[in-house]
Amino acid sequence: KVYQTGNVGLGSWSGHLEVLGIETHDVGLAMEALDAGFFTDNMAAVCRTGEKLALPVQPEFWEDVRANGFVWYDTGQEHIITNSEFRNCGFNAEWNASSNIGCGDPPLDGSCHRESSVFGLLTHSDQFNPEIMQATKNIT
């Protein structure tokens, strides 16, 4: 379990990572993998729980704790995510504490960045085709 982290819950730049069960709460980004050969099964990413963030940075910087679920990269990466759940990830302009859909504007407790998302896609060029490098199954 990883919780209350202003940046990445779990990250790897070494490749060939297999994660079988991880839970993240109130993080900037649930997971990242920056190399070919990444597989995760049974991930629970709760980007915002609604709890007050208790981070070593000042509240005016909480907007930088984005609340992203996962970012797909396009430079020769191969990612597979299965049987995983994403809750309260991504910005929701109509957010309230009981909505369970996305997260709201700073400086509210449990807020996130206006550009946060459940899934993001970082693209560098049209040389790489994300649709043949990324796969998901049974995502809620």
Side-chain angles (χ1 to χ4, degrees):
K1 291 185 179 183
V2 180
Y3 63 95
Q4 297 261 342
T5 301
N7 206 331
V8 179
L10 177 67
S12 172
W13 288 44
S14 62
H16 308 293
L17 180 67
E18 181 178 11
V19 179
L20 303 176
I22 182 171
E23 189 173 332
T24 63
H25 299 263
D26 295 310
V27 298
L29 174 62
M31 290 183 71
E32 73 176 358
L34 298 172
D35 207 347
F38 169 78
F39 172 76
T40 188
D41 183 66
N42 195 25
M43 174 171 54
V46 184
C47 294
R48 288 294 181 269
T49 61
E51 294 295 319
K52 183 175 181 174
L53 295 177
L55 301 171
V57 296
Q58 299 299 317
E60 60 265 21
F61 297 107
W62 288 355
E63 182 177 331
D64 295 330
V65 183
R66 291 187 174 260
N68 287 325
F70 190 83
V71 177
W72 305 99
Y73 298 93
D74 73 342
T75 54
Q77 311 289 308
E78 296 166 340
H79 302 117
I80 300 171
I81 301 176
T82 60
N83 304 312
S84 297
E85 178 181 10
F86 294 86
R87 287 186 290 165
N88 296 336
C89 301
F91 179 72
N92 177 0
E94 306 202 6
W95 179 86
N96 64 59
S98 62
S99 71
N100 284 330
I101 301 171
C103 44
D105 267 330
L108 301 173
D109 294 339
S111 62
C112 64
H113 192 278
R114 285 184 166 273
E115 295 176 4
S116 68
S117 62
V118 177
F119 288 109
L121 180 61
L122 176 65
T123 58
H124 294 92
S125 72
D126 61 358
Q127 177 182 357
F128 305 99
N129 297 314
E131 62 271 13
I132 61 171
M133 298 179 338
Q134 322 297 354
T136 60
K137 178 181 177 186
N138 195 25
I139 304 296
T140 57

